[in-house]
Every structure is written in structure tokens, then in C-alpha cells.
Amino acid sequence: MSAIKSPFESHPPSARRLLLTVLAALMLAAVILLTIVLPAEYSIDPTGIGGVLGLKKTTAAEQKIELLDTLGGNEKIDTTSVAGGAGSSQPIPLPNPAVHQSQDSAAQAETFTITLPPYAQTEIKAVLKTSKVLMYAWKIDRGQIYVDFHGHSPEWTNKEAFVRYEENKASTGANGSLVAAFPGEHGWYWLNGNAFPVVITLTVQGYYDKIIDYGVSK
Amino acid sequence: MIVKLLLALAGLLLSVAGFAHGVAANDASYIESLKGVAVIPYMYLGAKHMVTGYDHLMFLAGVIFFLYRFKDVALYVSLFAMGHSITLLLGVLAGIHANAHIVDAIIGLSVVYKAFENLGGFRRLGLQIDSRLAVFLFGLAHGFGLSTKLQELSLSPEGLLVNLIGFNVGVELGQFAALGMLLLVFEVWRRTDHFIRAAYLANTLLMSAGLILFGYQLAGYLQAA
């Protein structure tokens, strides 16, 4: 039946010897598990010997946590392994560390005040590289205004990106943030549909290259 | 002579134990960064996993412990390779998620089983177990272990099949390398005067090591649950 040529198979040990062997193996395993492996790996130390040996908590149990891996509002649940977990003194490494970016210089901040005559339009754009962050707040002094918050590639043709973030036909202002999904100009087109002039106050902050003010036109 | 060999073996086991189990952390992030077909890196990682995976090595050592003829070694190792290839590929491709602790606990039991068989335990109990079938079945368990660990990583779906086959080929190559070293050690060891007595002790220790693996993984499972 079996091709194995164990000498102990042709001459098996006596039942007593086999029992003693298995018991010895079990005992040895139990001793090593309880005094060394479990204290070191899981901080389970029923005998206290692991603690005496300094093995306890050399590594805390590994935990898995789920977290949002967010980049530019693209939310994907990712899991990551953490040694120690909640009680750990060490922070948790993110599966996608690119959610953090270090910059060469401080963020810029500017405020624009634009007076838009009746039925006039204007456009203000921030030039952003991929993944750069822009924070903005704008409001108007009276009435409501058409706004198209959008972005496009700098030298845009039909093939390149031209995307809308938000359109509002009757807005009084907006606050928010943007992470550029592609390099290019990202900003606002406003059209004043009122018979009276409207003053737009826009504040932008972030890691943009520059702001392009396209000026007011009818 | 025996003492020296045992010390050398113990040293080898201790040095690989540092890698812990599965795919080492820096390899894991490397695998995750790979996009598209990357056969050679996957092959290398498969080979490394086998050469540094002490649970696979212990089982392999148990399997070839009393195999004197090359034909038998080839047969048993092929059965083992066939078993773990099936579950490695199917597990990842079909996305079968097994609990890593349970799979590793079963792998620990495979070591216990093999050592007990080597000791003539089943023969004494009057049990007739086809060891070829057993090696094949435990091969399935070992492959499941590999696929479970690979699935813990976020693998790029691009070129996944080709990469997996590369990983699998690497596992086989690593197994050949490990097998070569083991066979060499056994060849020398078997020629020593007290081999039979040492073999009994070694298999008892192997059984104990399998039990430790089993207990370790079971505790891990209970703690995670």
C-alpha cells in the first residue's frame, strides 16, 4: 500500500512507547506554546514565565482595520494590517500614503472682488497640478447668479479633459475644496442674469501655481 | 556528527523563523506595487516563500524522511506540488477566502500527521492510510495557505493569471532548492551509526513542532475572532 520505508512502519513501536512518545510531543509543544510562543506572539501568558523571560508583548496581535482610502473624493475601502491596533502607541500606516502630500512652499491665499455688471460674464481659474489641493469660498452681495465650477486641461482640445464639478443656475455662493484629478485650469464661470450689478467676493487658498483672471465681458 | 547536523538544522530553522510566515511585509508592498505581467518577480517571491516557509519545509522533511529512492521522492513531491498548485491557482482566481489561521493550523496538523506516520503510529493503531493520498490532500491545504496569503494583498488584476503561474513555478523551483538541501542532509545523516534512534527522536520533535504551529495558529484564530 505505502511506498514509505519507515523502519518504524515495518517494526512499529509498542503501544506504550507510542503513547509515551505522543505525550512527550504534546507536553513539549504545550510548554513551548504556553511559555514562549503565546506570550511573545499574542501576549497570552497564563504561566507568567513569558513575562519573566521578557517575551510578553514583543509583538501585539495584528489587527485588520478598514479605512477610507480617499484621494480627490475617490473613496475606496481598503484594509490594512496594524500591529497592536487601537491600544498601540504607533500610528497606523495607510494603504495609500499618497493622501498626504508634502509641498515645497507654503500654501497661497488670495481674495478677489469682482463687480459684474448686468448680463456680464467672467471666469477665474486656478492652475493646479495633479492631486494639488484648492480650498475656496465665494459669495455675492445680492440676488442670485449662474455659476459653472469646472476644470480643463491647459492646452485643451476635444480630446483633453473638460469636466464639470458643479453647476448652479441660481447661486448665492459656495464653499468647498478640490483635489485636481488632472493638471490644468480649475475654476468658475459666472454669468450675471440680473438687471443690477453683482459683487462677487472669492477667496482661494491652496497649492496652486497661479490664478488666471479672464476679466469681465458681455 | 549527529549533534553537529542537528545544530546546523536548528540554526537553519531559527534563521528562517525570523521571516515569520507568509509573504514578508516589504515583499508585500512590492507585490502590491506591481502592475501588469511581472513573471520573474512573482517567480522569485514564490521561490522565496517556499525556501523560507518553515511549515512547508517541516512537512517536506517529514515526507522525505524515509524515502530512499529517487523515484519515491519524485512521486511524493509531485503529488504535493500537484495538490498545492491546484488550490493556489483556484483559490486566487475564484477568490476563495479562507481563514489564514485555520489553513495554517491545518498545515501544522499535516506536520503532526506526517511525523506520527513516520513513527509507525498508524501502523500500531492498525490504520491503513494511503500516504500518497494524504500527501496530495495536505498539498491542497498548503496551496490554500499560499492563495490565502496572496489574496490578503491587493493584487493588480492585470496579468494576474500569468503572474500566478509565475508564482507557482517559483514555488516549485523553491521547493526543488529546499528539497536538494534536505536530501543532502538526509543522505549524510542516514549514513551515521545512530540514525534510526535519532530518527525516532527527530520525528517526535517534528510532531511537537507541528503541534506548536497548530496551537499558535489556533490561538491566533481565537484572538482574531
Side-chain angles (χ1 to χ4, degrees):
Chain A
M1 189 82 187
S2 167
I4 288 199
K5 298 284 189 289
S6 165
F8 311 118
E9 289 205 81
S10 33
H11 304 283
S14 67
R16 185 186 150 81
R17 185 167 189 221
L18 185 65
L19 184 67
L20 285 175
T21 303
V22 172
L23 283 179
L26 272 171
M27 285 288 288
L28 181 66
V31 168
I32 290 178
L33 268 175
L34 293 176
T35 61
I36 297 172
V37 177
L38 295 186
E41 297 289 339
Y42 300 117
S43 300
I44 302 172
D45 190 14
T47 61
I49 294 172
V52 173
L53 295 175
L55 285 171
K56 207 174 164 186
K57 283 189 177 148
T58 50
T59 51
E62 192 158 277
Q63 294 188 358
K64 283 220 153 209
I65 56 162
E66 279 202 334
L67 36 82
L68 279 173
D69 195 358
T70 311
L71 182 64
N74 300 318
E75 289 169 356
K76 179 180 120 183
I77 301 280
D78 223 326
T79 54
T80 189
S81 294
V82 200
S88 171
S89 58
Q90 289 296 312
I92 297 160
L94 270 182
N96 175 13
V99 296
H100 149 266
Q101 302 150 31
S102 52
Q103 310 286 350
D104 297 330
S105 53
Q108 306 190 66
E110 277 170 272
T111 299
F112 300 85
T113 306
I114 308 138
T115 303
L116 210 52
Y119 315 117
Q121 57 190 354
T122 189
E123 209 170 351
I124 290 195
K125 295 286 194 52
V127 178
L128 293 164
K129 294 193 179 73
T130 303
S131 301
K132 298 294 174 189
V133 176
L134 181 76
M135 288 188 287
Y136 62 89
W138 68 269
K139 59 181 193 309
I140 52 172
D141 64 334
R142 58 189 289 221
Q144 293 170 331
I145 197 169
Y146 172 87
V147 63
D148 182 10
F149 183 30
H150 64 282
H152 59 71
S153 311
E155 308 282 336
W156 56 307
T157 65
N158 288 338
K159 282 182 182 168
E160 290 185 80
F162 187 24
V163 299
R164 172 174 286 152
Y165 305 122
E166 192 177 34
E167 183 189 36
N168 192 338
K169 288 178 174 127
S171 179
T172 56
N175 310 309
S177 64
L178 173 80
V179 179
F182 54 87
E185 299 177 14
H186 306 262
W188 302 264
Y189 166 87
W190 285 287
L191 174 66
N192 181 10
N194 301 297
F196 48 82
V198 167
V199 179
I200 305 167
T201 311
L202 166 71
T203 302
V204 287
Q205 298 169 56
Y207 295 97
Y208 52 83
D209 294 341
K210 60 174 178 175
I211 300 290
I212 302 174
D213 186 345
Y214 283 94
V216 176
S217 62
K218 287 252 181 177
Chain B
M1 185 64 195
I2 297 169
V3 175
K4 265 190 188 163
L5 269 175
L6 284 178
L7 280 176
L9 262 182
L12 184 72
L13 283 178
L14 283 177
S15 67
V16 298
F19 287 100
H21 191 135
V23 184
N26 52 344
D27 287 343
S29 54
Y30 176 60
I31 285 191
E32 288 182 344
S33 74
L34 293 173
K35 299 266 186 299
V37 172
V39 175
I40 300 291
Y42 269 86
M43 209 188 274
Y44 170 74
L45 292 166
K48 182 177 172 180
H49 180 93
M50 206 60 184
V51 174
T52 59
Y54 51 84
D55 49 354
H56 303 302
L57 292 181
M58 286 199 297
F59 185 68
L60 212 53
V63 168
I64 63 159
F65 212 106
F66 293 116
L67 294 182
Y68 293 89
R69 293 194 320 225
F70 179 75
K71 207 182 81 181
D72 293 331
V73 174
L75 172 71
Y76 276 83
V77 172
S78 305
L79 283 169
F80 182 52
M82 218 159 31
H84 68 229
S85 299
I86 291 171
T87 38
L88 167 60
L89 292 174
L90 277 186
V92 176
L93 293 177
I96 302 166
H97 290 276
N99 184 291
H101 288 299
I102 294 292
V103 173
D104 284 342
I106 293 172
I107 290 173
L109 283 184
S110 75
V111 177
V112 176
Y113 152 83
K114 198 63 223 172
F116 189 69
E117 184 181 59
N118 283 347
L119 289 170
F122 292 117
R123 189 59 56 93
R124 169 52 62 205
L125 296 177
L127 291 172
Q128 291 282 346
I129 292 175
D130 189 334
S131 52
R132 285 164 297 192
L133 182 65
V135 164
F136 175 73
L137 290 178
F138 280 125
L140 293 177
H142 281 246
F144 233 175
L146 290 164
S147 85
T148 306
K149 251 134 256 159
L150 270 180
Q151 283 181 90
E152 283 174 4
L153 313 171
S154 42
L155 298 179
S156 164
E158 256 177 85
L160 183 61
L161 180 62
V162 180
N163 287 342
L164 274 183
I165 292 171
F167 187 85
N168 203 356
V169 169
V171 164
E172 307 313 334
L173 290 177
Q175 184 168 287
F176 270 122
L179 195 65
M181 288 189 290
L182 283 172
L183 283 174
L184 205 67
V185 171
F186 274 111
E187 193 54 38
V188 177
W189 191 9
R190 281 187 196 121
R191 288 166 198 271
T192 57
D193 294 341
H194 304 291
F195 173 68
I196 297 295
R197 261 164 70 189
Y200 195 87
L201 179 64
N203 274 291
T204 308
L205 291 176
L206 197 61
M207 180 154 61
S208 201
L211 287 166
I212 292 170
L213 259 183
F214 174 73
Y216 166 40
Q217 296 299 337
L218 202 64
Y221 175 73
L222 293 175
Q223 193 165 66

